[in-house]
């Protein structure tokens, strides 16, 4: 009896990106489907969120009417020596698997950065950090992004990028198979005027001439302020109107603020470029990590979220001493430096 061994090896490669801190770096998604016992292996230092994408991708492919490969699957997230976090790799992994069954006719996609989180029914959900990724893609010479519609306005802020949106996994497959027919995001026009401050205008304040003059001097020179006085004197009311007398954000400043808030996940859904200076007023029970940033997966703290805006510490003597100590270096040097193991 003679037997013929048939070897199947299908390799698909797509571009994606991830965020570390407030900066983005490229990630190559390599999907290999070969004969063997059904198994789904993911390598390249994925965290728990990325490893859980195996179940989301499997359910999304089946619920969208595609065939999930019953073979040995290996997914590599390159570079392999950098830890990957987030749910933005769901879509490129699913598209790489669909390339093995022929649903995706382009097994190698080098001209498009693919991002998106998959629901179990194949619908794409918005992700964090799209603006830094768009800036990094432009810097690397890539001209096309494929992402969920929730992040379209954010990515369209960067000039020179072809932003393609897809609401579901089948739409993403069609967008790559027929790029000329893909749905484009509308262009985002940055507003030249700052938004109305949510905490009111300094013009509403009657009296307090000395305090108002101090606010104006601090706003004009970019100085720090310490307001002291008896309870009910109007310190908090005055401080919350500080953002209303600051000059409008320039385009570069708005880009920096939007990128930070995008990474932190505080950017409104479907929002584009921020036009109002941020105002952050953390509670006095905040920890030093929440104030300065950091954590197991580095995230911006309140200091970074208040960049180009106002950081207001109400009832400052109530803050922990360690929290106040971490403010010293950012105030002196104008930047936040976090040392991690």
């Amino acid at each position: 009896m003679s037997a013929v061994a048939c070897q199947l090896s299908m390799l698909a490669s797509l571009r994606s990106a991830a965020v570390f801190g407030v900066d983005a770096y490229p990630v190559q998604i390599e999907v290999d489907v070969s004969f063997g016992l059904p198994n789904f292996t993911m390598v390249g230092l994925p965290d728990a969120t990325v490893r859980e994408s195996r179940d989301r991708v499997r359910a999304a492919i089946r619920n969208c009417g595609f065939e999930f490969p019953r073979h040995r699957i290996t997914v590599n997230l390159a570079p392999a020596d950098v830890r990957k976090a987030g749910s933005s790799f769901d879509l490129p992994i699913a598209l790489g698997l669909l390339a093995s069954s022929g649903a995706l006719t382009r097994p190698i996609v080098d001209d498009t950065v693919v991002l998106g989180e998959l629901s179990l029914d194949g619908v794409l959900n918005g992700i964090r950090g799209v603006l830094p990724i768009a800036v990094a893609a432009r810097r690397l010479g890539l001209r096309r992004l494929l992402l969920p519609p929730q992040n379209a306005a954010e990515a369209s802020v960067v000039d020179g990028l072809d932003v393609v949106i897809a609401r579901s996994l089948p739409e993403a497959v069609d967008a790559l198979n027929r790029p000329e027919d893909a749905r484009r995001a509308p262009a985002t026009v940055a507003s030249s005027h700052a938004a109305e401050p949510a905490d009111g205008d300094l013009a509403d304040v009657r009296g307090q001439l000395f305090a108002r003059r101090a606010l104006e001097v601090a706003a004009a020179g970019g100085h720090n302020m310490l307001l002291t006085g008896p309870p009910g004197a109007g310190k908090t009311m005055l401080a919350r109107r500080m953002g209303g007398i600051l000059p409008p954000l320039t385009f570069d400043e708005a880009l920096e603020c939007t990128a930070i808030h995008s990474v932190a996940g505080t950017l409104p859904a479907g929002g584009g470029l921020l036009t109002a200076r941020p105002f952050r007023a953390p509670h006095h029970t905040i920890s030093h990590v929440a104030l300065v940033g950091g954590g197991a997966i580095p995230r911006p703290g309140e200091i970074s979220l208040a960049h180009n805006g106002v950081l207001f510490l109400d009832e400052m003597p109530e803050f922990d001493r360690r929290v106040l100590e971490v403010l010293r270096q950012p105030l002196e040097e104008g930047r936040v430096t976090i040392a991690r193991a």
Side-chain angles (χ1 to χ4, degrees):
M1 181 178 65
S2 62
V4 178
C6 180
Q7 297 290 332
L8 168 68
S9 181
M10 180 66 188
L11 177 65
S13 178
L14 295 96
R15 285 184 177 270
S16 189
V19 176
F20 185 81
V22 294
D23 297 320
Y25 60 93
V27 176
Q28 196 77 18
I29 309 294
E30 300 172 337
V31 181
D32 178 77
V33 179
S34 59
F35 277 136
L37 294 176
N39 188 28
F40 199 136
T41 304
M42 193 172 296
V43 296
L45 289 182
D47 74 340
T49 307
V50 181
R51 288 195 299 269
E52 289 175 353
S53 67
R54 294 177 294 190
D55 299 318
R56 293 193 297 270
V57 167
R58 182 184 293 109
I61 289 178
R62 289 175 175 172
N63 290 329
C64 288
F66 297 109
E67 181 182 358
F68 188 82
R70 300 174 179 269
H71 301 291
R72 181 179 180 85
I73 301 170
T74 304
V75 177
N76 179 40
L77 310 177
D81 59 342
V82 179
R83 182 165 295 278
K84 317 301 186 305
S87 57
S88 60
F89 304 120
D90 290 3
L91 182 58
I93 292 174
L95 293 174
L97 292 174
L98 292 178
S100 66
S101 61
L104 182 65
T105 58
R106 300 174 59 192
I108 307 297
V109 182
D110 284 333
D111 60 344
T112 305
V113 177
V114 183
L115 307 164
E117 175 189 331
L118 281 172
S119 299
L120 298 186
D121 58 354
V123 175
L124 292 179
N125 298 324
I127 59 172
R128 294 181 177 183
V130 168
L131 182 56
I133 292 174
V135 173
R138 174 67 186 276
R139 185 176 64 249
L140 295 173
L142 302 174
R143 301 294 183 182
R144 199 162 180 253
L145 266 70
L146 175 60
L147 40 72
Q150 297 92 324
N151 302 116
E154 185 180 348
S156 299
V157 171
V158 182
D159 293 331
L161 286 179
D162 183 16
V163 180
V164 178
I165 58 177
R167 293 190 176 90
S168 62
L169 181 58
E171 287 189 17
V173 173
D174 293 337
L176 290 183
N177 286 339
R178 296 187 296 274
E180 63 280 356
D181 298 331
R183 182 180 178 186
R184 265 69 179 178
T188 299
V189 180
S191 175
S192 59
H193 301 284
E196 184 70 21
D199 295 308
D201 196 336
L202 190 62
D204 300 331
V205 180
R206 296 293 180 264
Q208 298 284 9
L209 298 180
F210 184 76
R212 291 174 60 186
R213 174 61 178 165
L215 284 174
E216 293 166 0
V217 172
H223 306 299
N224 301 311
M225 283 193 64
L226 179 63
L227 296 173
T228 61
K235 303 183 297 297
T236 300
M237 180 266 296
L238 286 166
R240 289 189 176 277
R241 283 161 169 75
M242 181 74 168
I245 61 175
L246 292 173
L249 286 171
T250 65
F251 179 77
D252 291 338
E253 289 175 339
L255 202 61
E256 292 176 352
C257 293
T258 307
I260 294 172
H261 284 261
S262 174
V263 172
T266 59
L267 199 65
L273 200 66
L274 293 178
T275 57
R277 291 189 179 271
F279 182 91
R280 306 294 298 185
H283 194 260
H284 65 266
T285 57
I286 189 174
S287 67
H288 67 283
V289 175
L291 183 68
V292 78
I297 301 174
R299 287 279 186 264
E302 290 292 333
I303 295 177
S304 300
L305 293 174
H307 181 57
N308 290 324
V310 179
L311 176 64
F312 176 44
L313 302 183
D314 199 8
E315 302 293 342
M316 194 178 74
E318 300 293 333
F319 283 77
D320 186 74
R321 177 180 177 180
R322 190 176 183 184
V323 173
L324 297 178
E325 285 292 336
V326 299
L327 281 171
R328 182 180 58 82
Q329 181 260 346
L331 286 177
E332 291 177 355
E333 300 184 8
R335 65 175 182 269
V336 177
T337 303
I338 301 174
R340 301 179 65 251

